[in-house]
Amino acid sequence: MVGLTSAAGLVGFLSEPDTELQIFALRKLNDEIDSLWTEVAGSVAEIEALYEDKAFPERELAALVAAKVYYNLQEYNESMVFALGAGKLFDIDKEGEFEETIISKCVDTYIALSAMYNPATPASNANQAPPQLITAFPSISNGATSTAAGLASPTTPFSHSTLPSRSLLSRQDGSTTYDPSLPGTGSTGVPGANPSGFSLQRENQKQLHAIIEQLFERCYKQGRYRQVAGIAIEARNLEKLRQAIVRASEDHTKGKSSTKDDSGEVGEELMEYVLEICMGVVQERTLRNEILRLILDLLSEIPAPEYFSIAKCIVYLNESSMASDLLCQLVQKADPESLATAYQIAFDMYDNSTQEFLKKVRKNLPSTSPQASGTPKAEQMEGDNGGQAAESDQLLQELDDSAGAPSSAINGGSEKQKPLTPEEQKAYESIGDILSGTKTIELDLEFLYRNNHTDKHILNKIKDSLEARNSIFHTAVTLANAFMHAGTTNDRFFRDNLEWLGKAVNWSKFTATAALGVIHRGNLGQGQKLLEPYLPKTRMEGTNTGSAYSQGGSLYALGLIYANHETVALDLIRHHFKEATEEVVQHGGALGLGVAGMATGDEGIYEELKEVVYGESALNGEACGIAMGLIMLGTGNIKALEEMIVYAHETQHEKIVRGLALGMALIMYGREEAADELVNGLLDDPDPILRYGAIQTLALAYCGTGSNKAVRKLLHVAVSDVSDDVRRIAVMSLGFILFRKPNSVPRMVELLSESYNPHVRYGAAMALGISCAGTGLDEAIDLLEPMIKDPTDFVRQGALISLSMIMVQQNEAMNPKVGTIRKTLQKAIGDRHEDAMTKFGSAVSLGIIDAGGRNCTISLQTQTGNPNMAGIVGMAVFIQYWYWFPLTHFLSLSFTPTSVIALDQDLEVPSFKFHSATRPSLFDYPPEQEAKVEDAPEKVKTAVLSTTAQAKRRAQKKERQQRRESMDIDPAPSTPKVSNTDDKMDTDEPAPKPEGEKAESGDKETDDVKATAAPEGLRKKMEKEKVGCELENMSRVLPAQLKFISFPDPRYEPVKKPTGGVILVIDTKPSESKTLMELKARKNIKPAAAPPNLQDRITDIFTGDRDGAAVGMGAGGAAEAAGVLNAVDEDGEGEEEADTPRDFDYYTSGEDEEE
């Protein structure tokens, strides 16, 4: 049947009084509207009139035709309104562009209206923002008020009181990220989703809800629960979210979930998806907390709760009592699977929580409180009075901790606690050990020790290429050694290079001693003994206590060994810090206190640090300011902030102001909107150092959130502030905000990387390194490679460091450019014409790219996806190396071992293999550099003039003729050789070499060819390899490799999908004997013995007797380095030490004293 070619006749029927003709015209137009809408558009008013006529029998048909006309006119709001009026005639199951567009518009409108009627609610008491700053910015030291500072703000240098109309801050956000900061703007990111002045009649709203319900029901039938959950979250409709989660769980239990494709979800996967959306997309803190609390409330309604997702919610909400209740509930089930789940949750809590939170959880566990008070186990089970009193105290404490918290399904604590069985007692003790971090640190130390693949040839080449007498180069080698051996306990490099180590003076000695803390990080059992020779000692008359720099470095090292692990070491550092009188020792003690006591919120330590800051010592003040922030990390302590702001305006020392600025940023870690007032106040300050601190505060408060508001503010400051330091940190901070979205960072900083300002270019390079660390992202590498040749030395330095951070744990199979980048780093070190700053960056980069014996990556988020607090803090302090080199050691806090360590329910390490469904070479270690024998210098070809060559040939010819004449036998006639070199310049050719030497000398010529052929050869090798390999327990598994890991061994089944790190497995055959892995690290680490005589050790070093009995062949590098690092530098104190009585009748000569 041929379609209509004109709508003129049908349009005329619409004006007829006969209802039948009007209905006939509407039906025909509805069928042919896609081709006739241009003619019908002029008569749409008549169609609307038919819809509005309540007596017209086909009002819904008229509405549908009008909707299609407006759809073709691209008036989607009006089209949606009439489509809603069409009622059942608008079929959402029909596939077509019109239906899909209107459904999408209905969803947007539903989200906007629902968000308008469900505005943001205040945060709960448990997560309430800190009180507002009262006296934060009263009056600046130079007399200018904050208002005046705002009018002449350094971020608006052209005297604009408001931003230009097209500035980055004033543009409409076109991103699709959900940021419903205002009521009624739930779909702000969707253009046109919520037009101003648009409203729906009540009848249309009912139809809208009916369509949404139909849409949800269709999603339920198809198993697409994610779509429902996403719409409910964006619409702030938590009731719909609850309904989707419960429905998904019920359908999965009943077996009714028939998925149309792979997008179908079940209850556990939907819970994980909601958590992912909540943590990564929702940018409003209050809404996020409401969703997390909803998930906790659903525990009583979901048949099979997903405990790991629940634990993640509890950690984020900082509900310590709920965490202990969850662990108790799992332990009381007494089955192996529940016990293994409890252990796994405890491991995850340690990885994702602060020391303060973990301490509260341990306190609430039934078995820890009696042990902490020293009550023997027999007395706990004895007598009703004592036992009931202890139980009542614990219950009261739990009630106090959970006061005001909403009810949840986790009701592990009972009204009357029963006596613990031996199995429960053992389980709670094990959980306490896990929460204290001892078990995780011990396993990581064992993994790094067993799998150490450090290439010593690279480290030796760095040492040989850099002059040790130069302090910056000595520090660079020290840092490279520390990063390469981080956590491996291998300090042999110090033992093998004592002469080089002896050239360290002053702060180089401080940094070298602190490097022992990076190398032995996590060596909890031996850490204090290792550093015993270096720690400050009581000064006695006539004795020398050693160098103050090594003493300060030892306190810093002790803090690094026990980083983020509150133990007796914290008390030891605190004692030495209070007793110290030397500024250098106090400096190291402050840094050690901050690292070891991170996020403890200890008021006593904070007050002691504050007193030192008030002492107006610039050197100590900077370290103490940073340490104050580390102690109060993430607490948002308003009293501390006010004190730090006031003193920052009073002091005249820039170093103190810089330390306090970073300290304030650390205090506001993760506080998001609660930090806005502090950020705005500091940004208006005329002091560039405080504005620098404001940007750091913004970066740490919104780290990992991807907040559009924070990104816009950073970009605005990056292009408008008058201070180069502020602009540099503003660009760098983009890496902290967006490290969960590394793919978006290269596009964002692409133009900034070409800025005329070298500080902005450096910031762009570091932003790429921070956000893309360990990813090997090609887009980031393409931006950084041209910056290696930047005319500014510190830009080249930043580019090299960032490249190493991105390329950490990459091999030729994963990224073919890694070989070229490694050669570039080594070439920069050996280049005599390269600047010192670039060489420093190259040396540090070579340490970073092989971090932890090539077994660590740099990660700002944990294995479970939460922000890695220690890693973020370590990176934030590391970038301050721009001002102070010793802070570079903080980067070791960002090193995360890439391992899979399986433990059974007895917390033992079974010996078994798991499967990796990849070719072995794909994720293999990079090949070690071959140690080439140093080639003898080749003889340079000597140029010979043609006249000289001719004279030489004539002389040779004459000599041959004389020899023939002197012989009795006539010479045989010979054919003269035709020489065509008479007119050329001759050269003295070197003697021919054997074949082996020829191949060796040709290496340089074929380097480029090999570099090009290496990826091709590797590709051919991989094609021949068999897919799939078996890996031993406690092996290196890269993050990209985790999705290929499986556990085929039927005896050991993991309790959750492997995420890296410690994974609990259930032994399905516990009655059979099992083979355990021997922990080697604990046995092989030898504590450092104190040197028998300090002066004798120093004399032995300078006389070359380093292999004598005083050194000891069995001692480690830390022990042998003690004599060198404890030696007092050659200054006034050194001259006094030279007068120490010796077993001699005479004094050494002046020359010997100088030596």
Side-chain angles (χ1 to χ4, degrees):
M1 180 179 177
V2 180
L4 295 175
T5 58
S6 176
L10 295 176
V11 171
F13 286 164
L14 296 176
S15 303
E16 294 292 332
D18 190 354
T19 304
E20 295 296 333
L21 290 176
Q22 293 173 337
I23 295 174
F24 172 79
L26 289 174
R27 287 176 179 173
K28 288 294 183 179
L29 290 174
N30 183 46
D31 295 337
E32 304 289 342
I33 194 66
D34 290 337
S35 59
L36 302 177
W37 67 270
T38 54
E39 299 181 57
V40 182
S43 303
V44 70
E46 297 179 13
I47 301 176
E48 292 184 25
L50 292 176
Y51 166 68
E52 295 172 358
D53 185 4
K54 294 184 179 181
F56 185 66
E58 293 290 343
R59 294 180 61 230
E60 295 181 350
L61 180 60
L64 183 60
V65 174
K68 292 182 177 180
V69 173
Y70 279 115
Y71 164 75
N72 286 283
L73 290 170
Q74 297 186 1
E75 296 289 344
Y76 299 122
N77 288 331
E78 287 79 359
S79 178
M80 182 198 65
V81 171
F82 285 106
L84 293 175
K88 297 181 179 179
L89 293 181
F90 177 68
D91 186 6
I92 64 172
D93 294 326
K94 184 178 179 181
E95 295 183 359
E97 293 184 4
F98 168 72
E99 286 76 14
E100 291 178 359
T101 303
I102 298 304
I103 290 174
S104 177
K105 194 65 184 175
C106 289
V107 171
D108 292 340
T109 306
Y110 170 78
I111 290 173
L113 293 175
S114 182
M116 185 181 300
Y117 295 129
N118 295 281
T121 55
S124 61
N125 293 333
N127 292 275
Q128 191 171 5
Q132 299 298 307
L133 291 171
I134 300 175
T135 59
F137 309 101
S139 180
I140 313 302
S141 58
N142 60 3
T145 61
S146 58
T147 305
L151 293 177
S153 173
T155 58
T156 54
F158 302 110
S159 302
H160 292 295
S161 58
T162 58
L163 297 172
S165 59
R166 297 302 298 168
S167 69
L168 291 172
L169 283 175
S170 63
R171 294 177 187 171
Q172 185 180 1
D173 180 20
S175 173
T176 56
T177 305
Y178 177 45
D179 188 10
S181 57
L182 295 174
T185 57
S187 300
T188 303
V190 183
N194 188 23
S196 59
F198 173 71
S199 61
L200 286 178
Q201 297 179 359
R202 180 168 297 182
E203 181 181 353
N204 289 335
Q205 289 188 20
K206 291 181 180 180
Q207 186 62 29
L208 174 65
H209 283 280
I211 289 179
I212 295 298
E213 290 295 335
Q214 294 178 33
L215 186 63
F216 285 173
E217 191 62 33
R218 185 175 68 176
C219 292
Y220 291 148
K221 290 180 180 179
Q222 297 176 349
R224 297 177 177 177
Y225 303 102
R226 284 190 175 188
Q227 284 84 339
V228 180
I231 293 173
I233 292 174
E234 197 165 357
R236 296 173 174 270
N237 194 330
L238 300 186
E239 190 59 37
K240 288 296 179 185
L241 179 60
R242 176 193 294 270
Q243 178 184 343
I245 296 175
V246 174
R247 179 73 175 267
S249 181
E250 291 176 352
D251 290 350
H252 177 62
T253 304
K254 296 176 183 178
K256 291 183 179 180
S257 178
S258 57
T259 59
K260 186 175 181 180
D261 51 24
D262 293 339
S263 63
E265 299 296 327
V266 295
E268 295 181 1
E269 294 178 352
L270 181 62
M271 186 86 72
E272 190 68 28
Y273 172 74
V274 172
L275 278 176
E276 182 182 349
I277 292 297
C278 186
M279 299 296 185
V281 178
V282 179
Q283 296 184 7
E284 187 182 356
R285 190 185 183 94
T286 54
L287 177 61
R288 191 184 308 139
N289 292 346
E290 290 175 3
I291 295 173
L292 293 175
R293 292 194 175 279
L294 169 65
I295 294 175
L296 293 179
D297 292 341
L298 285 172
L299 291 176
S300 59
E301 302 176 21
I302 295 180
E306 217 289 309
Y307 289 109
F308 300 110
S309 299
I310 297 163
K312 188 183 292 188
C313 297
I314 290 174
V315 170
Y316 183 84
L317 292 170
N318 200 29
E319 293 287 353
S320 57
S321 59
M322 297 174 72
S324 55
D325 289 343
L326 174 62
L327 294 172
C328 292
Q329 177 185 350
L330 290 170
V331 170
Q332 290 170 4
K333 288 186 176 181
D335 60 282
E337 183 176 358
S338 298
L339 187 61
T341 303
Y343 290 157
Q344 185 68 65
I345 289 176
F347 278 112
D348 292 345
M349 283 184 180
Y350 173 75
D351 290 337
N352 297 282
S353 309
T354 64
Q355 293 189 46
E356 184 181 12
F357 176 85
L358 295 171
K359 188 190 297 184
K360 291 180 180 178
V361 176
R362 293 199 304 269
K363 183 179 179 181
N364 292 335
L365 290 176
S367 62
T368 53
S369 296
Q371 289 178 352
S373 60
T375 305
K377 182 177 178 181
E379 295 181 8
Q380 298 175 26
M381 311 289 291
E382 181 184 21
D384 293 336
N385 294 333
Q388 292 178 359
E391 293 166 9
S392 301
D393 291 343
Q394 181 185 356
L395 289 173
L396 289 174
Q397 180 65 34
E398 291 180 357
L399 291 174
D400 291 340
D401 290 341
S402 59
S407 61
S408 67
I410 308 172
N411 295 319
S414 58
E415 294 182 359
K416 190 172 183 179
Q417 185 179 356
K418 297 179 181 179
L420 299 178
T421 63
E423 292 78 11
E424 291 178 343
Q425 180 74 18
K426 180 182 177 181
Y428 286 129
E429 290 177 356
S430 299
I431 291 176
D433 291 339
I434 295 171
L435 293 175
S436 67
T438 306
K439 197 69 178 178
T440 301
I441 295 173
E442 178 186 0
L443 293 171
D444 286 342
L445 185 74
E446 176 69 23
F447 163 73
L448 294 174
Y449 177 82
R450 297 170 72 98
N451 299 278
N452 184 11
H453 281 72
T454 301
D455 193 344
K456 62 180 181 180
H457 302 302
I458 297 177
L459 193 57
N460 289 331
K461 185 175 181 180
I462 298 173
K463 177 183 70 71
D464 296 338
S465 301
L466 300 179
E467 176 56 51
R469 290 189 181 91
N470 192 326
S471 177
I472 185 175
F473 291 156
H474 196 287
T475 300
V477 178
T478 300
L479 294 172
N481 173 47
F483 290 157
M484 283 187 182
H485 294 99
T488 63
T489 70
N490 186 350
D491 52 16
R492 184 175 178 179
F493 179 79
F494 283 159
R495 181 177 61 189
D496 295 341
N497 298 278
L498 290 177
E499 182 178 355
W500 165 85
L501 191 62
K503 297 178 182 178
V505 294
N506 298 337
W507 288 106
S508 295
K509 187 174 293 185
F510 178 93
T511 306
T513 310
L516 292 172
V518 178
I519 295 172
H520 291 276
R521 185 190 171 196
N523 191 2
L524 304 181
Q526 307 291 342
Q528 188 173 342
K529 293 181 181 179
L530 285 164
L531 295 174
E532 187 65 33
Y534 303 90
L535 293 174
K537 301 174 181 61
T538 305
R539 189 179 185 91
M540 299 176 62
E541 186 176 356
T543 62
N544 175 40
T545 58
S547 171
Y549 291 95
S550 64
Q551 293 175 5
S554 66
L555 295 179
Y556 186 13
L558 196 61
L560 290 169
I561 290 177
Y562 297 90
N564 199 21
H565 183 71
E566 186 181 7
T567 58
V568 292
L570 184 63
D571 296 330
L572 177 63
I573 301 172
R574 187 176 179 180
H575 168 73
H576 286 300
F577 175 75
K578 290 191 293 185
E579 297 294 328
T581 56
E582 296 278 351
E583 286 187 345
V584 179
V585 180
Q586 285 185 334
H587 182 90
L591 293 176
L593 276 177
V595 179
M598 187 186 302
T600 57
D602 192 312
E603 292 284 352
I605 298 178
Y606 170 81
E607 291 296 330
E608 293 170 4
L609 292 168
K610 185 178 69 174
E611 290 301 321
V612 176
V613 172
Y614 287 171
E616 278 291 304
S617 170
L619 179 62
N620 296 342
E622 182 177 23
C624 291
I626 297 174
M628 289 161 66
L630 290 171
I631 295 295
M632 293 293 176
L633 180 66
T635 60
N637 190 304
I638 201 70
K639 176 176 175 291
L641 289 173
E642 291 178 352
E643 292 174 346
M644 295 169 80
I645 292 170
V646 171
Y647 191 72
H649 286 125
E650 292 177 355
T651 184
Q652 300 298 319
H653 295 288
E654 289 187 0
K655 291 178 69 69
I656 296 179
V657 178
R658 184 173 292 113
L660 292 174
L662 179 56
M664 287 187 284
L666 293 169
I667 291 176
M668 300 307 290
Y669 167 82
R671 305 301 296 181
E672 298 185 24
E673 295 92 347
D676 287 347
E677 183 189 2
L678 177 63
V679 171
N680 294 332
L682 292 177
L683 274 179
D684 287 338
D685 199 287
D687 188 349
I689 300 179
L690 289 179
R691 298 203 304 277
Y692 185 99
I695 299 300
Q696 289 179 308
T697 304
L698 184 67
L700 292 180
Y702 288 92
C703 59
T705 62
S707 171
N708 296 329
K709 177 180 65 176
V711 169
R712 288 197 302 271
K713 186 169 291 188
L714 290 175
L715 290 174
H716 173 67
V717 174
V719 298
S720 63
D721 199 280
V722 295
S723 170
D724 286 336
D725 287 349
V726 179
R727 298 179 69 177
R728 183 180 67 249
I729 190 63
V731 182
M732 275 194 289
S733 298
L734 292 171
F736 288 98
I737 304 293
L738 299 169
F739 68 78
R740 283 179 169 172
K741 303 174 183 177
N743 293 321
S744 63
V745 179
R747 289 177 293 145
M748 188 169 295
V749 302
E750 183 175 3
L751 292 178
L752 295 173
S753 66
E754 300 174 359
S755 171
Y756 72 93
N757 191 325
H759 293 267
V760 175
R761 297 200 300 271
Y762 172 87
M766 293 300 294
L768 290 169
I770 294 168
S771 59
C772 305
T775 62
L777 194 64
D778 291 333
E779 292 84 354
I781 297 170
D782 292 341
L783 286 180
L784 289 171
E785 283 180 332
M787 302 177 74
I788 298 176
K789 301 177 182 179
D790 195 275
T792 308
D793 53 358
F794 61 80
V795 177
R796 298 196 297 272
Q797 179 193 77
L800 293 173
I801 292 177
S802 295
L803 278 173
S804 66
M805 293 166 66
I806 295 173
M807 283 298 190
V808 64
Q809 288 198 320
Q810 300 284 314
N811 58 19
E812 293 279 356
M814 299 172 67
N815 195 317
K817 292 184 178 180
V818 66
T820 306
I821 291 174
R822 283 180 176 272
K823 290 181 180 179
T824 301
L825 295 175
Q826 296 180 19
K827 181 181 178 181
I829 289 180
D831 190 352
R832 295 182 178 180
H833 304 289
E834 189 59 84
D835 293 317
M837 293 185 68
T838 307
K839 288 187 176 182
F840 175 86
S842 300
V844 174
S845 300
L846 285 169
I848 294 173
I849 202 171
D850 290 336
R854 298 183 173 179
N855 291 300
C856 289
T857 187
I858 297 176
S859 179
L860 301 189
Q861 55 184 339
T862 62
Q863 303 281 4
T864 55
N866 285 351
N868 179 9
M869 183 191 68
I872 294 171
V873 170
M875 184 65 72
V877 182
F878 159 72
I879 60 178
Q880 309 306 316
Y881 81 89
W882 179 278
Y883 303 103
W884 192 234
F885 283 154
L887 298 180
T888 312
H889 285 311
F890 269 83
L891 183 63
S892 62
L893 302 181
S894 301
F895 293 164
T896 303
T898 51
S899 62
V900 168
I901 305 174
L903 302 181
D904 59 14
Q905 57 263 37
D906 296 327
L907 296 182
E908 296 176 330
V909 187
S911 178
F912 74 102
K913 295 182 179 180
F914 50 88
H915 182 73
S916 175
T918 59
R919 291 182 172 87
S921 59
L922 181 58
F923 298 104
D924 199 6
Y925 289 97
E928 290 192 6
Q929 185 178 8
E930 297 181 1
K932 295 183 180 179
V933 179
E934 292 186 2
D935 299 334
E938 296 183 1
K939 184 178 179 181
V940 180
K941 296 180 180 181
T942 306
V944 182
L945 298 175
S946 58
T947 55
T948 307
Q950 291 177 1
K952 188 184 295 186
R953 281 195 296 273
R954 284 195 297 269
Q956 291 175 353
K957 184 178 180 181
K958 185 177 182 181
E959 183 181 356
R960 286 194 300 268
Q961 185 176 359
Q962 290 176 356
R963 282 202 303 267
R964 283 196 297 269
E965 291 176 353
S966 63
M967 297 177 66
D968 296 334
I969 304 173
D970 294 335
S974 59
T975 305
K977 294 183 180 180
V978 179
S979 176
N980 58 353
T981 59
D982 290 342
D983 298 329
K984 291 185 179 180
M985 182 180 290
D986 292 347
T987 58
D988 294 337
E989 298 292 340
K993 295 182 179 180
E995 292 183 0
E997 294 186 11
K998 284 183 180 179
E1000 192 173 306
S1001 64
D1003 284 347
K1004 295 182 179 180
E1005 300 176 2
T1006 58
D1007 273 348
D1008 295 336
V1009 179
K1010 287 183 178 180
T1012 306
E1016 185 66 27
L1018 183 62
R1019 192 179 300 110
K1020 292 181 179 179
K1021 177 184 175 183
M1022 290 179 60
E1023 290 175 356
K1024 296 179 181 179
E1025 286 181 339
K1026 183 181 177 182
V1027 177
C1029 58
E1030 302 296 324
L1031 298 176
E1032 291 284 348
N1033 189 13
M1034 204 172 282
S1035 294
R1036 186 184 85 148
V1037 178
L1038 302 187
Q1041 189 179 2
L1042 285 171
K1043 57 185 176 183
F1044 302 106
I1045 297 298
S1046 60
F1047 289 77
D1049 193 332
R1051 179 170 182 177
Y1052 297 103
E1053 298 178 356
V1055 296
K1056 70 170 187 176
K1057 185 178 179 180
T1059 55
V1062 179
I1063 179 76
L1064 267 292
V1065 294
I1066 302 172
D1067 187 356
T1068 58
K1069 301 176 182 178
S1071 58
E1072 299 181 5
S1073 61
K1074 58 184 177 181
T1075 305
L1076 301 179
M1077 299 186 70
E1078 182 183 6
L1079 301 183
K1080 300 179 180 180
R1082 196 184 306 170
K1083 294 185 177 182
N1084 286 274
I1085 298 172
K1086 297 181 180 180
N1093 187 293
L1094 183 61
Q1095 188 62 40
D1096 290 342
R1097 291 293 303 274
I1098 299 172
T1099 305
D1100 291 339
I1101 296 301
F1102 284 102
T1103 57
D1105 185 16
R1106 291 186 293 275
D1107 297 326
V1111 174
M1113 298 301 293
E1120 296 196 23
V1124 179
L1125 295 177
N1126 280 329
V1128 180
D1129 298 328
E1130 295 180 358
D1131 52 10
E1133 295 179 4
E1135 294 174 1
E1136 294 177 2
E1137 187 182 24
D1139 296 332
T1140 304
R1142 298 291 305 275
D1143 298 329
F1144 297 98
D1145 296 332
Y1146 57 88
Y1147 291 100
T1148 58
S1149 62
E1151 295 181 357
D1152 292 336
E1153 288 182 4
E1154 292 178 359
E1155 293 177 359

